[in-house]
Amino acid sequence: MDAGNGQAGERLSGLLETGSGPAAAFVTPEDGVTISYAQLADRVEALARGLAGAGVRRGDRVALTLPNGPEFVQIILAVTLLGAAAAPLNPAYTETEFAFYLEDIAPRLLLVPAAGAPRAAVTAAGTASVPLIELAAGAGGQPELLTGGRPAGAAASYEPGEPGDIALVLHTSGTTSRPKQVPLRQRNLMASARTIARHYQLGADDVSFCVMPLFHIHGLVASAFAAMGAGGTVIAPRRFTAHRFWPQAREHGATWLSAGPTLHQMILDRADADGAPASLRFARSCSSPLTPAVLERAEAGYGVPVLEAYGMTEASHQMTSNPLPPAARVPGSVGVPAGAEIAVIDAAGRFLAAGESGEVVIRGPGVMSGYLSNPAANEGAFVEGWFRTGDRGAVRDGYLYLEGRLKEMILRGGENISPAEIEQALLAHPAVADAVCFGVSDARYGEVPAAAVTLSQDVPVADLTGHCRERLAAFKVPTAIYVLPEIPRTATGKVQRRRVGEHIVGTQAAG
């Protein structure tokens, strides 16, 4: 478990020092522009002074909603250089969602792109009275901060951050209606990046192709920070498209990539006649379960080992992973400990022997010390210094096998979705008297959200879907909404979402 207020560990700025000055840190494949580690350090320093000039101080939070690309990572490093915390937000959020997160985060400012800023974010910032600062392309490729359309003034000096400072504030959605704030310290993130680099034997010659969104812990820590921690290069497209992966990966010599199973399938669907790049040495899959059939297809399509891993936000991403050859990679397993110690407990909190099934618990230098401002969640989140993942599994012969989630979260292609959030959106419709959301199997995304409602007045299901689209990001909108006369509940009034979903889907299939 994270030691809390101690200072052991490394500053995140250590990522700037790993690679040699002229070595390539980032490549943007759309234009072939390369940013060296020396240029990266200069740009991060300039951004840090600009943010300090805009009033950002140690301990502050900076919300940001930016597209992928080197600038995203530069801003994260600049914010943490000041000892402040970055709070990246999905650009696809609706105005309602941006408003919630800005209120919950209470940032010093919201950073948006000068061109193409999400209208929902700008509107929500105005409603929440959060100052806006824009990121623009400056002279020579140096990102420039703008306030009111003018260059922000730079501070002459600033108080630097420490390893124990919170570097990222991310939200994780569980089965409760209010997402929890996950604080990750600089030392947590550095420990995770270093461990991932060691596990996959990354070096300065390795080139990561970043296909995951950088506002997601998977993309930021695995695809970017781990590569930088080894002094390697990150191919960072500003807009990833699967059909461009193959020629871009060959052109820039990609040696590895990490993605969720859904993205892997999209990439493999668009493979071209020239085949996989000869430089590729492995692929990594994380964020949702990788079926044996998809694993077999991926290894055939990439022509290299595909290693399934297990990660979560609260652990600064990776906890276990299948190893590189010649060690055994086991289909159906998420591998061996590679970032955290792993144990399994029963419902009473007793530790179980190898092979016995129970709740997976973890501890290690990447694990958070507790959710922010949420004592109720923290009370049940830890047992004897171990963090409870909410996942059921067993360890056999040193490999972890996951058996399902104890929590009722829906995992759509690697995106965590809270059923309660969708239920609240449906209940906001005047015709909806009751609602329950659940996950259903999907061939492409693994799982997608569906819902059942009872109505106080007749209304077309299409109206309910449109109502959800106005309040939820597209990936959260239920793919199907069933109208029932009554939603089954237990004797104590609770809804068992999974059982309701299984009953409805089973009834539909039988009909």
Side-chain angles (χ1 to χ4, degrees):
M1 185 170 133
D2 186 293
N5 295 322
Q7 294 298 311
E10 294 181 80
R11 293 181 175 89
L12 202 58
S13 58
L15 296 176
L16 300 170
E17 302 161 4
T18 310
S20 61
F26 285 93
V27 174
T28 52
E30 295 91 343
D31 51 24
V33 171
T34 297
I35 301 171
S36 71
Y37 274 91
Q39 289 172 319
L40 181 66
D42 289 342
R43 293 180 182 190
V44 169
E45 174 69 19
L47 287 169
R49 292 186 183 278
L51 289 168
V56 177
R57 300 289 182 267
R58 187 176 178 188
D60 283 344
R61 297 179 183 182
V62 176
L64 56 116
T65 180
L66 297 170
N68 267 28
E71 297 80 10
F72 193 110
V73 177
Q74 292 169 36
I75 281 293
I76 298 287
L77 294 177
V79 169
T80 60
L81 203 60
L82 300 175
L89 300 175
N90 186 343
Y93 283 148
T94 64
E95 183 182 331
T96 301
E97 290 167 316
F98 274 117
F100 165 77
Y101 288 113
L102 291 177
E103 178 185 359
D104 202 46
I105 296 164
R108 171 71 65 180
L109 51 84
L110 171 64
L111 190 66
V112 299
R119 184 180 297 275
V122 174
T123 303
T127 303
S129 299
V130 176
L132 277 177
I133 189 166
E134 295 179 318
L135 185 69
Q142 169 67 51
E144 186 176 33
L145 298 175
L146 306 177
T147 55
R150 295 181 149 189
S157 62
Y158 55 84
E159 180 185 2
E162 296 292 341
D165 290 334
I166 297 173
L168 282 179
V169 175
L170 303 173
H171 282 81
T172 183
S173 297
T175 55
T176 59
S177 60
R178 188 175 183 87
K180 299 183 287 291
Q181 290 189 42
V182 179
L184 299 176
R185 301 177 189 276
Q186 295 196 35
R187 63 167 174 267
N188 295 146
L189 296 167
M190 284 299 289
S192 185
R194 299 290 196 209
T195 299
I196 294 170
R198 284 195 301 270
H199 184 76
Y200 300 113
Q201 300 172 24
L202 300 179
D205 294 332
D206 276 302
V207 180
S208 164
F209 199 119
C210 181
V211 303
M212 293 291 289
L214 289 168
F215 61 76
H216 194 288
I217 192 74
H218 180 167
L220 187 62
V221 174
S223 298
F225 287 174
M228 297 169 67
T233 303
V234 181
I235 303 172
R238 291 190 169 89
R239 184 175 181 180
F240 171 73
T241 53
H243 74 277
R244 292 181 182 171
F245 167 81
W246 299 94
Q248 289 175 346
R250 284 191 293 270
E251 179 183 358
H252 299 289
T255 63
W256 68 287
L257 76 153
S258 184
T262 299
L263 271 176
H264 281 303
Q265 291 185 76
M266 291 173 62
I267 291 170
L268 293 165
D269 284 345
R270 290 158 178 81
D272 57 34
D274 291 331
S279 55
L280 204 64
R281 66 182 184 90
F282 74 93
R284 177 181 183 270
S285 184
C286 195
S287 294
S288 60
L290 183 68
T291 65
V294 175
L295 171 62
E296 183 178 356
R297 183 193 178 202
E299 293 206 333
Y302 291 130
V304 294
V306 175
L307 311 177
E308 184 174 8
Y310 172 41
M312 65 190 311
T313 303
E314 291 91 335
S316 303
H317 190 46
Q318 184 169 289
M319 302 177 292
T320 70
S321 175
N322 274 277
L324 286 165
R329 57 189 187 282
V330 182
S333 164
V334 291
V336 299
E341 293 180 72
I342 304 293
V344 178
I345 61 173
D346 63 15
R350 293 184 292 261
F351 288 84
L352 300 176
E356 295 186 279
S357 295
E359 182 176 6
V360 178
V361 294
I362 60 169
R363 67 181 180 185
V367 181
M368 69 166 190
S369 55
Y371 298 108
L372 287 176
S373 305
N374 201 331
N378 288 329
E379 185 177 352
F382 294 91
V383 56
E384 297 182 21
W386 294 76
F387 177 73
R388 307 179 68 151
T389 65
D391 292 318
R392 183 177 179 84
V395 177
R396 297 191 288 273
D397 298 324
Y399 286 72
L400 176 63
Y401 295 80
L402 295 178
E403 301 169 354
R405 294 186 298 283
L406 299 175
K407 302 175 183 179
E408 295 175 315
M409 186 182 300
I410 299 165
L411 198 61
R412 178 194 182 276
E415 289 284 355
N416 292 323
I417 301 173
S418 166
E421 185 179 8
I422 297 173
E423 288 161 7
Q424 282 195 342
L426 284 165
L427 290 168
H429 192 287
V432 176
D434 201 0
V436 59
C437 176
F438 47 87
V440 295
S441 296
D442 182 83
R444 177 170 289 277
Y445 294 104
E447 189 176 36
V448 293
V453 299
T454 61
L455 300 176
S456 59
Q457 54 185 293
D458 288 337
V459 64
V461 168
D463 286 4
L464 301 180
T465 303
H467 172 82
C468 288
R469 286 200 183 101
E470 294 174 359
R471 288 160 175 77
L472 300 167
F475 65 87
K476 298 179 184 177
V477 175
T479 58
I481 299 176
Y482 305 94
V483 179
L484 303 180
E486 182 181 33
I487 291 176
R489 294 180 180 270
T490 66
T492 59
K494 294 181 179 180
V495 176
Q496 294 178 309
R497 294 187 178 94
R498 294 289 178 186
R499 291 189 178 181
V500 172
E502 289 167 1
H503 172 73
I504 291 174
V505 173
T507 301
Q508 292 287 320

